[in-house]
Amino acid sequence: MRNKRLIVLLSIVVTIVLVIVACGATFLVRDIDAYSYYGDVEYNGVNYDDLVVKASGIKKNSSIFFLDEKAVKNRVENAFANIRVVNVERKFPDRVSINYVIYENSFQYERGGKYYQCYSSGRIGGSSERKMSGYFTLKPKNATSTREGEYFQGSGGYDRKAVVAFIKFMYSKGLNDRQINERIDFVDLTRDGYIYIRTAAGCSIELHGELSEFNKLIERGWNIFADPNPDSPVTSRTSGLIQVYILKLNGKLQSTYIGVGKEFGKNEDGTVKHYSDETYYAEYYSRNA
């Protein structure tokens, strides 16, 4: 009885192996293509689709059955710091399709007297001796990487989580990377529990709270400041400081606006101290940078 069961089990295993081998030999890659959500794009006169296909390492007439999607993704993303592979599709019987997105220029940060430019994915694309146009500046709290092609900080780092959340929020408002960079001067994360955003229009938004509360805080602050139409240029200078926080006693979202010359805080002798958003920043942030 046991021998009979063993024979049946072996027969099943052999059948499965034969099917796998047959599939591997039958379904061969005849066609490889790549496409981006952004449509046809070029790099130094070469179509990105062709570059992605070449970097994928997929060989024609190899088995589609044994294709390693993760390895394909890693090869492409290691070759291009500004590309993320969304998925690798096997389209039987003989086609493989690579779906990818291209990240644009996003932010830069300073370390050791040099500036490092990052794509919106958080990967470093280049460096320079001075600030480059076309990026907003990030002032991170903790040490960051400076090696091209690497993420500027690990996925668990506060600075990376914060800037990713900020960029995602801006996307949700219909802004692309270029429009974000036109509207934002810098984002300062150096003060514990605060995120300070200086807009290109001159107004500042200070968020006080936990990172888990970020979306609620920035929603209030941005709606106070911004024209709801993402295509409207921010050209007029709006002075002042928008502060947004959550009252711990009742959990309610609160916001205040401090205009230039408005009273805020006190000097050591008890007299009222007057702030603009610029002097407020210098008092509470720049000294800690």
Side-chain angles (χ1 to χ4, degrees):
M1 194 70 172
R2 286 186 176 178
N3 289 338
K4 189 179 244 186
R5 287 180 179 176
L6 184 58
I7 291 171
V8 171
L9 181 60
L10 287 174
S11 298
I12 293 172
V13 172
V14 169
T15 301
I16 292 173
V17 171
L18 290 174
V19 169
I20 292 173
V21 172
C23 288
T26 302
F27 296 105
L28 301 179
V29 178
R30 308 289 185 192
D31 185 32
I32 311 165
D33 64 35
Y35 63 95
S36 168
Y37 282 142
Y38 297 110
D40 293 334
V41 287
E42 292 191 349
Y43 175 77
N44 289 341
V46 180
N47 190 285
Y48 253 116
D49 292 354
D50 298 331
L51 295 172
V52 168
V53 169
K54 184 176 180 180
S56 72
I58 302 172
K59 300 185 183 300
K60 288 190 175 181
N61 296 319
S62 61
S63 171
I64 195 173
F65 194 73
F66 296 119
L67 179 69
D68 187 340
E69 293 99 332
K70 186 175 181 180
V72 171
K73 174 181 171 69
N74 289 339
R75 283 194 291 266
V76 173
E77 292 182 354
N78 287 338
F80 301 99
N82 61 329
I83 284 182
R84 177 173 70 86
V85 174
V86 177
N87 58 29
V88 180
E89 298 179 88
R90 302 185 228 193
K91 298 182 177 180
F92 290 96
D94 60 1
R95 183 180 168 200
V96 175
S97 188
I98 304 169
N99 178 15
Y100 68 96
V101 294
I102 299 176
Y103 292 109
E104 296 186 49
N105 297 337
S106 186
F107 62 93
Q108 60 190 330
Y109 63 95
E110 187 270 332
R111 276 294 178 270
K114 292 185 68 174
Y115 285 87
Y116 296 87
Q117 290 79 39
C118 294
Y119 299 108
S120 51
S121 63
R123 296 179 77 182
I124 302 170
S127 62
S128 62
E129 298 298 325
R130 56 184 61 86
K131 282 185 183 180
M132 300 286 287
S133 61
Y135 301 84
F136 72 85
T137 299
L138 180 70
K139 299 186 178 184
K141 184 175 182 61
N142 297 315
T144 53
S145 173
T146 56
R147 183 175 297 178
E148 188 170 339
E150 289 186 353
Y151 287 95
F152 85 98
Q153 191 177 73
S155 58
Y158 173 84
D159 302 307
R160 184 170 164 194
K161 286 181 179 179
V163 74
V164 166
F166 173 70
I167 292 171
K168 282 184 177 179
F169 173 80
M170 290 300 187
Y171 287 165
S172 75
K173 293 301 178 184
L175 302 173
N176 58 34
D177 291 290
R178 176 186 56 78
Q179 291 169 324
I180 295 171
N181 297 336
E182 288 174 347
R183 286 160 171 76
I184 303 300
D185 184 7
F186 66 83
V187 176
D188 192 322
L189 307 175
T190 57
R191 190 177 176 208
D192 287 339
Y194 292 83
I195 295 177
Y196 185 96
I197 302 163
R198 174 66 62 82
T199 70
C203 183
S204 298
I205 305 170
E206 181 189 73
L207 312 178
H208 182 197
E210 303 297 328
L211 195 55
S212 60
E213 301 167 329
F214 176 81
N215 284 339
K216 287 191 291 186
L217 296 169
I218 186 63
E219 183 76 40
R220 170 68 68 88
W222 189 255
N223 286 344
I224 292 172
F225 160 74
D227 184 326
N229 181 1
D231 294 323
S232 298
V234 182
T235 55
S236 61
R237 180 165 180 82
T238 305
S239 297
L241 171 69
I242 300 166
Q243 294 178 315
V244 188
Y245 49 93
I246 294 176
L247 294 173
K248 297 306 178 184
L249 291 177
N250 55 23
K252 287 187 177 180
L253 193 66
Q254 184 71 36
S255 55
T256 57
Y257 181 83
I258 304 170
V260 174
K262 293 290 182 72
E263 297 179 359
F264 181 77
K266 290 187 176 181
N267 295 305
E268 290 183 3
D269 61 2
T271 57
V272 172
K273 181 178 288 188
H274 296 270
Y275 288 104
S276 68
D277 58 333
E278 290 88 351
T279 56
Y280 176 86
Y281 179 81
E283 177 77 13
Y284 286 97
Y285 288 84
S286 297
R287 64 183 182 184
N288 299 320

